[in-house]
PDB file of all heavy atoms in Angstrom:
ATOM      1  N   ASN A  94      10.169  -9.767   4.049  1.00 97.00           N
ATOM      2  CA  ASN A  94      10.856 -10.641   4.838  1.00 97.00           C
ATOM      3  C   ASN A  94      11.000 -10.164   6.331  1.00 97.00           C
ATOM      4  O   ASN A  94      10.909 -10.887   7.295  1.00 97.00           O
ATOM      5  CB  ASN A  94      12.281 -10.935   4.399  1.00 97.00           C
ATOM      6  CG  ASN A  94      12.837 -12.279   4.854  1.00 97.00           C
ATOM      7  OD1 ASN A  94      12.090 -13.253   5.100  1.00 97.00           O
ATOM      8  ND2 ASN A  94      14.062 -12.372   4.881  1.00 97.00           N
ATOM      9  N   VAL A  95      11.083  -8.789   6.449  1.00 97.00           N
ATOM     10  CA  VAL A  95      11.157  -8.185   7.780  1.00 97.00           C
ATOM     11  C   VAL A  95       9.775  -8.453   8.488  1.00 97.00           C
ATOM     12  O   VAL A  95       9.779  -8.693   9.728  1.00 97.00           O
ATOM     13  CB  VAL A  95      11.442  -6.666   7.636  1.00 97.00           C
ATOM     14  CG1 VAL A  95      11.233  -5.966   8.995  1.00 97.00           C
ATOM     15  CG2 VAL A  95      12.818  -6.426   7.154  1.00 97.00           C
ATOM     16  N   ILE A  96       8.712  -8.137   7.739  1.00 98.00           N
ATOM     17  CA  ILE A  96       7.418  -8.548   8.391  1.00 98.00           C
ATOM     18  C   ILE A  96       7.308  -9.878   8.794  1.00 98.00           C
ATOM     19  O   ILE A  96       6.834 -10.227   9.960  1.00 98.00           O
ATOM     20  CB  ILE A  96       6.214  -8.194   7.428  1.00 98.00           C
ATOM     21  CG1 ILE A  96       6.225  -6.707   7.162  1.00 98.00           C
ATOM     22  CG2 ILE A  96       4.928  -8.680   7.886  1.00 98.00           C
ATOM     23  CD1 ILE A  96       5.625  -5.869   8.280  1.00 98.00           C
ATOM     24  N   ARG A  97       7.760 -10.849   8.012  1.00 96.00           N
ATOM     25  CA  ARG A  97       7.722 -12.220   8.308  1.00 96.00           C
ATOM     26  C   ARG A  97       8.605 -12.623   9.534  1.00 96.00           C
ATOM     27  O   ARG A  97       8.208 -13.420  10.377  1.00 96.00           O
ATOM     28  CB  ARG A  97       8.138 -12.992   7.061  1.00 96.00           C
ATOM     29  CG  ARG A  97       8.177 -14.534   7.274  1.00 96.00           C
ATOM     30  CD  ARG A  97       8.471 -15.203   6.012  1.00 96.00           C
ATOM     31  NE  ARG A  97       8.454 -16.657   6.124  1.00 96.00           N
ATOM     32  CZ  ARG A  97       8.191 -17.435   5.189  1.00 96.00           C
ATOM     33  NH1 ARG A  97       7.869 -16.956   3.902  1.00 96.00           N
ATOM     34  NH2 ARG A  97       8.095 -18.820   5.313  1.00 96.00           N
ATOM     35  N   ARG A  98       9.657 -11.893   9.637  1.00 95.00           N
ATOM     36  CA  ARG A  98      10.653 -12.276  10.765  1.00 95.00           C
ATOM     37  C   ARG A  98      10.254 -11.563  11.979  1.00 95.00           C
ATOM     38  O   ARG A  98      10.285 -12.241  13.186  1.00 95.00           O
ATOM     39  CB  ARG A  98      12.044 -11.827  10.278  1.00 95.00           C
ATOM     40  CG  ARG A  98      13.124 -11.884  11.365  1.00 95.00           C
ATOM     41  CD  ARG A  98      13.607 -13.200  11.572  1.00 95.00           C
ATOM     42  NE  ARG A  98      14.772 -13.271  12.503  1.00 95.00           N
ATOM     43  CZ  ARG A  98      15.523 -14.325  12.902  1.00 95.00           C
ATOM     44  NH1 ARG A  98      15.194 -15.461  12.393  1.00 95.00           N
ATOM     45  NH2 ARG A  98      16.378 -14.188  13.792  1.00 95.00           N
ATOM     46  N   GLN A  99       9.899 -10.289  12.109  1.00 97.00           N
ATOM     47  CA  GLN A  99       9.727  -9.497  13.174  1.00 97.00           C
ATOM     48  C   GLN A  99       8.316  -8.873  13.476  1.00 97.00           C
ATOM     49  O   GLN A  99       8.118  -8.285  14.440  1.00 97.00           O
ATOM     50  CB  GLN A  99      10.774  -8.368  13.294  1.00 97.00           C
ATOM     51  CG  GLN A  99      12.170  -8.994  13.384  1.00 97.00           C
ATOM     52  CD  GLN A  99      12.520  -9.764  14.562  1.00 97.00           C
ATOM     53  OE1 GLN A  99      11.778  -9.721  15.553  1.00 97.00           O
ATOM     54  NE2 GLN A  99      13.536 -10.519  14.446  1.00 97.00           N
ATOM     55  N   GLY A 100       7.470  -9.031  12.440  1.00 98.00           N
ATOM     56  CA  GLY A 100       6.166  -8.525  12.564  1.00 98.00           C
ATOM     57  C   GLY A 100       5.303  -9.237  13.516  1.00 98.00           C
ATOM     58  O   GLY A 100       5.404 -10.348  13.721  1.00 98.00           O
ATOM     59  N   THR A 223      16.177  -8.605  14.587  1.00 93.00           N
ATOM     60  CA  THR A 223      16.579  -9.421  13.442  1.00 93.00           C
ATOM     61  C   THR A 223      18.048 -10.028  13.571  1.00 93.00           C
ATOM     62  O   THR A 223      18.415 -11.181  13.306  1.00 93.00           O
ATOM     63  CB  THR A 223      16.422  -8.844  12.081  1.00 93.00           C
ATOM     64  OG1 THR A 223      15.116  -8.449  11.933  1.00 93.00           O
ATOM     65  CG2 THR A 223      16.855  -9.714  10.925  1.00 93.00           C
ATOM     66  N   PRO A 227      20.574 -16.063  14.916  1.00 96.00           N
ATOM     67  CA  PRO A 227      20.729 -16.481  13.441  1.00 96.00           C
ATOM     68  C   PRO A 227      19.654 -15.964  12.568  1.00 96.00           C
ATOM     69  O   PRO A 227      18.538 -15.993  12.946  1.00 96.00           O
ATOM     70  CB  PRO A 227      20.786 -17.970  13.565  1.00 96.00           C
ATOM     71  CG  PRO A 227      19.971 -18.374  14.793  1.00 96.00           C
ATOM     72  CD  PRO A 227      20.310 -17.251  15.748  1.00 96.00           C
ATOM     73  N   LEU A 310      16.970 -23.274  11.233  1.00 97.00           N
ATOM     74  CA  LEU A 310      17.795 -22.090  11.374  1.00 97.00           C
ATOM     75  C   LEU A 310      18.664 -22.136  12.612  1.00 97.00           C
ATOM     76  O   LEU A 310      18.189 -22.224  13.800  1.00 97.00           O
ATOM     77  CB  LEU A 310      16.910 -20.802  11.389  1.00 97.00           C
ATOM     78  CG  LEU A 310      17.666 -19.426  11.330  1.00 97.00           C
ATOM     79  CD1 LEU A 310      18.428 -19.392  10.150  1.00 97.00           C
ATOM     80  CD2 LEU A 310      16.660 -18.341  11.445  1.00 97.00           C
TER      81      LEU A 310
END
Side-chain angles (χ1 to χ4, degrees):
N94 203 33
V95 171
I96 292 289
R97 180 173 184 150
R98 172 80 177 182
Q99 297 298 343
T223 299
L310 187 60

